[in-house]
Amino acid sequence: MAIEILGASFWRYATTMGTKRRSTSELYIPVIKPPPLKDVVNLKKINELVKAFTPNDVIATLLKRGIVVWPLPFRGLYVSQDYETRHRDFVWASQLGLNDIVTYFIHTKYGVKLYREEDLYRILYGLLVHEAYEGILRLTMEEVKAEVKVYDLELGVVGVADLVVNDAVIEIKSGKSSPRHRLQLTAYMKALNKQKGFLVYQDSVFEIVINSDVLKELRDAVNRLRQLREELSLLSLEDVAKRYPNAISKFQYRYGVELIELIKVLESEGF
C-alpha cells in the first residue's frame, strides 16, 4: 500500500533530488521548493482507502494520532479534543482567520471542536496525505519532523505544524487554498524561528518568507481573535442569538441541529 500511494511522478522527483539521504554534515543545505501533492502522491488511491473506513474505524484511527472524538446524540455529529483544545486560554492556530462566530463561541465556552461525519473523513484523508508526503521528503533528507507541537508564549498561540525541515516549515493542505492557511503557517514559522515556509497544495506550492508585514498580519489576526474571545466569554447563548442571528442560521444549516439543543448536550456531558 505504501508504494501504491506514491504518485506517478514520484520516481522522477526522487531521481532529481537523489534517493540517497543526506549525511549529517549536509543537513543544513537550504530546502528547495517542495513539489505539489499531485506530483508525488497518489491522491485518488488515498481517497479510495479512506472511503473504505467505517465511522468507527475513522474514530479509532484519529485516536491513535492524538485526536479524541465523541459521537453526539445527533445524526452524524461529533465533538473532538486535541492538542489545541487542551490550551483553552491560547489562540488556536487553526482558528486564525476564522469568520464563524458561532463555532468560535463553542470553542471558547466549551473547549471542543465540532465536526460532521464528512469532516472526520476529510481530516483522516488529510493525515494520510501528510504521512505519504512526509515519507517522500525523508528519502532526500534526514532532518524531517512531523506533527510538531507549537507553543508560542509571546503571541499566545498553540498548534501543530505538519512538517518541519532544517530551515523551513511545510504545511500540507489537501483542500482549496485560503488566506487562513498563510496565517497558520506564519504562526508556526514565528514560533519555531524559521524564516521560510511552504504551503503545499494539490496543484501548487507557495513560499512564505518572514518579514515585518507578514508578522504584523499575524499579530493583527491574533489580537482580533483574542478580543473576540473576551467578548464571547461574557455573552450568554441568548446574547449571541440576538447579536449574530445570521451566523446562528448558517451554523444550524451546516450542522443540522438547533444550537440550543447542542449546548444542552455539551453542558450535560460536562464540557
Side-chain angles (χ1 to χ4, degrees):
M1 180 61 67
I3 297 298
E4 292 180 5
I5 64 176
L6 300 178
S9 301
F10 162 71
W11 295 113
R12 183 174 68 251
Y13 171 73
T15 301
T16 301
M17 293 295 295
T19 54
K20 182 180 179 180
R21 293 167 64 181
R22 293 171 178 167
S23 66
T24 303
S25 63
E26 298 176 300
L27 289 182
Y28 296 100
I29 295 174
V31 175
I32 67 168
K33 189 174 183 178
L37 293 174
K38 68 178 180 60
D39 283 2
V40 291
V41 177
N42 189 332
L43 300 173
K44 181 180 179 181
K45 192 68 179 182
I46 295 178
N47 189 45
E48 292 173 353
L49 175 65
V50 170
K51 285 182 177 180
F53 279 57
T54 67
N56 286 338
D57 291 335
V58 173
I59 292 172
T61 305
L62 293 178
L63 179 60
K64 293 178 181 178
R65 289 160 172 80
I67 303 172
V68 185
V69 179
W70 294 271
L72 293 173
F74 307 106
R75 184 177 179 181
L77 206 57
Y78 304 80
V79 291
S80 81
Q81 292 184 323
D82 55 21
Y83 177 73
E84 289 186 329
T85 64
R86 292 197 291 274
H87 298 82
R88 290 179 63 173
D89 293 333
F90 280 65
V91 169
W92 306 342
S94 64
Q95 295 173 327
L96 290 170
L98 181 69
N99 293 318
D100 188 337
I101 295 292
V102 180
T103 296
Y104 195 53
F105 174 76
I106 292 173
H107 291 175
T108 301
K109 287 283 191 179
Y110 302 101
V112 296
K113 296 179 181 181
L114 183 66
Y115 293 122
R116 300 165 299 175
E117 188 170 284
E118 63 200 75
D119 297 325
L120 297 182
Y121 277 85
R122 175 182 52 79
I123 292 169
L124 178 57
Y125 170 78
L127 288 172
L128 294 182
V129 170
H130 294 178
E131 291 175 2
Y133 198 85
E134 173 196 348
I136 290 165
L137 291 187
R138 288 187 184 279
L139 289 172
T140 61
M141 61 185 70
E142 294 181 10
E143 192 70 12
V144 179
K145 298 178 182 179
E147 299 295 307
V148 177
K149 293 179 173 60
V150 172
Y151 184 95
D152 189 328
L153 187 60
E154 188 264 324
L155 265 188
V157 174
V158 297
V160 181
D162 290 340
L163 297 172
V164 179
V165 295
N166 46 41
D167 71 339
V169 181
I170 299 175
E171 276 296 292
I172 303 166
K173 300 300 181 183
S174 51
K176 297 180 180 179
S177 63
S178 166
R180 293 182 58 195
H181 299 160
R182 185 179 65 253
L183 289 170
Q184 188 177 357
L185 174 60
T186 303
Y188 298 150
M189 292 165 63
K190 189 231 175 246
L192 296 168
N193 196 29
K194 303 291 185 182
Q195 296 300 306
K196 185 189 302 182
F198 297 98
L199 283 171
V200 177
Y201 294 99
Q202 180 174 331
D203 299 302
S204 58
V205 178
F206 298 97
E207 181 176 350
I208 305 294
V209 177
I210 287 286
N211 58 41
S212 58
D213 291 337
V214 169
L215 288 176
K216 182 181 185 304
E217 181 185 36
L218 172 63
R219 291 182 186 279
D220 288 347
V222 171
N223 289 336
R224 282 194 298 271
L225 272 183
R226 187 173 288 115
Q227 182 178 355
L228 179 59
R229 180 176 64 191
E230 292 174 358
E231 175 188 334
L232 292 176
S233 67
L234 301 174
L235 298 182
S236 66
L237 177 59
E238 291 75 16
D239 294 330
V240 173
K242 290 178 181 178
R243 291 195 186 190
Y244 308 104
N246 291 337
I248 295 284
S249 297
K250 290 180 181 179
F251 176 89
Q252 293 179 165
Y253 177 79
R254 174 179 172 81
Y255 291 103
V257 61
E258 293 289 328
L259 182 58
I260 189 170
E261 296 301 321
L262 173 63
I263 297 302
K264 287 180 181 177
V265 169
L266 292 178
E267 292 180 347
S268 69
E269 294 293 329
F271 290 109

